[in-house]
Amino acid sequence: MAEITAALVKELRERTGQGMMDCKKALTAAGGDIEKAIDDMRAAGAIKAAKKAGNIAAEGSIAVKVSDDNKRAVIIEVNSQTDFLALQDDFKAFVNASIEKAFAENMTEAAPLIAAQEADREALVAKCGENVNIRRLSSVQADLVGSYLHGHRIGVLVALKGGNVELAREIAMHVAASNPQFLDPSQVSEEAVAKEKEIFMALNEDKIKGKPAEIVEKMVAGRISKFLAEASLVEQPFVKDPDVKVGDLAKKAGAEIISFVRFEVGEGIERAEVDFAAEVAAQVAATKQ
């Protein structure tokens, strides 16, 4: 059996990112064979990763990649449990490798990327101690695709017919800031309109009480019209020039907005409420057993 030296423990720690005691135990179990120790730790890491899978990951990063000719782009969301991890080099490297693979293999949905990156994901989970997930992916192809990343938390792709890269980026920045729900009013579903009407009626019950039906109908129509303008990208006032609608901005540049994709980290994920007092109490109780 090879001697378990401090240098050997240090090398294993640097190569795996695990704690010193874990590295020493792994080397002892492996008889001082560092390669076997790494294999054993990876196997254990897969088990740790499985245990972490139940933890809610609602932080993370958005990544985008656009082709050199600006005709194709991919956007992904990779989640972590904390924003701290999202800023670390290991996590960034995983996100970068994931977007590069998705782009290179022209993936159009998340499932194949998740499968392809599973081994690396498990290794990252074992190293960082947090759950990590590739959540979603969207691919866009058009005459012209522009993108915008706001830090690591919001990413946007905009597809245009005509126009130029700068225009596409300007519109993508607007989408990041204003978060439109639809491209244009024609895409707004009847369900969304009905829900907005219901909300308006509930919030203005006192104002409409006793008013003639035709007056109430006009009030509702006015609210729905405002809702369609607020929710539709082409009807929104451009953030850099509120006197111009985004749709008109595109038209003036000889372009048409075909579609857009907006990812924001953690949107739609139900986050667990943590009772820190109870958590600390539980930990203290555990130490007394």
Side-chain angles (χ1 to χ4, degrees):
M1 174 177 167
E3 182 184 359
I4 312 301
T5 64
L8 198 60
V9 173
K10 181 175 181 290
E11 181 184 350
L12 182 58
R13 187 179 183 186
E14 289 175 348
R15 291 177 63 178
T16 63
Q18 299 299 299
M20 182 177 69
M21 292 307 299
D22 288 337
C23 290
K24 188 172 182 179
K25 287 179 183 178
L27 283 166
T28 301
D33 185 335
I34 192 168
E35 298 302 330
K36 184 177 188 305
I38 289 173
D39 288 341
D40 292 344
M41 291 175 84
R42 282 177 176 166
I47 296 172
K48 290 178 183 177
K51 289 179 179 178
K52 294 288 182 182
N55 296 341
I56 296 174
E59 298 296 335
S61 293
I62 306 298
V64 301
K65 186 173 179 63
V66 183
S67 61
D68 292 338
D69 62 2
N70 297 105
K71 293 184 179 297
R72 182 169 70 90
V74 175
I75 182 170
I76 63 172
E77 177 183 359
V78 182
N79 294 129
S80 58
Q81 286 178 242
T82 65
D83 191 54
F84 174 79
L85 179 60
L87 299 174
Q88 303 308 302
D89 289 342
D90 287 337
F91 184 84
K92 290 179 180 179
F94 177 75
V95 173
N96 186 63
S98 297
I99 191 70
E100 291 290 343
K101 188 170 192 64
F103 186 84
E105 299 186 15
N106 201 17
M107 295 180 181
T108 57
E109 56 183 30
L113 180 62
I114 291 171
Q117 293 293 88
E118 182 59 16
D120 289 343
R121 186 195 72 83
E122 288 183 347
L124 178 59
V125 170
K127 184 174 182 179
C128 72
E130 285 191 25
N131 191 16
V132 173
N133 289 311
I134 297 173
R135 182 187 181 197
R136 51 181 172 167
L137 176 155
S138 185
S139 176
V140 174
Q141 285 186 290
D143 288 352
L144 181 68
V145 181
S147 68
Y148 174 70
L149 264 179
H150 186 71
H152 64 285
R153 299 189 64 84
I154 299 176
V156 177
L157 298 179
V158 169
L160 298 182
K161 183 177 181 180
N164 54 53
V165 174
E166 184 58 32
L167 174 66
R169 178 176 169 77
E170 291 280 302
I171 295 174
M173 289 176 67
H174 171 93
V175 172
S178 298
N179 192 17
Q181 298 177 48
F182 310 96
L183 175 60
D184 60 58
S186 69
Q187 293 186 349
V188 182
S189 67
E190 292 182 3
E191 290 79 7
V193 172
K195 186 174 182 61
E196 187 64 21
K197 181 177 179 179
E198 181 182 336
I199 292 171
F200 176 81
M201 296 291 282
L203 293 177
N204 294 275
E205 185 176 359
D206 292 338
K207 291 182 181 180
I208 63 179
K209 189 175 182 180
K211 283 187 170 56
E214 60 270 18
I215 298 298
V216 173
E217 192 61 34
K218 286 182 179 180
M219 292 173 65
V220 171
R223 175 54 210 162
I224 295 303
S225 178
K226 185 179 179 182
F227 165 67
L228 293 176
E230 291 174 344
S232 304
L233 173 58
V234 299
E235 294 295 321
Q236 288 183 336
F238 182 45
V239 289
K240 288 188 174 182
D241 184 359
D243 292 330
V244 179
K245 292 182 180 179
V246 176
D248 292 335
L249 177 74
K251 287 180 181 178
K252 288 178 181 178
E256 178 186 356
I257 306 172
I258 303 302
S259 65
F260 70 89
V261 177
R262 183 185 187 276
F263 281 3
E264 183 169 351
V265 168
E267 60 187 347
I269 297 177
E270 187 173 339
R271 301 167 189 249
E273 291 188 12
V274 180
D275 187 337
F276 289 107
E279 186 176 301
V280 171
Q283 290 179 358
V284 171
T287 63
K288 295 179 179 179
Q289 293 179 354

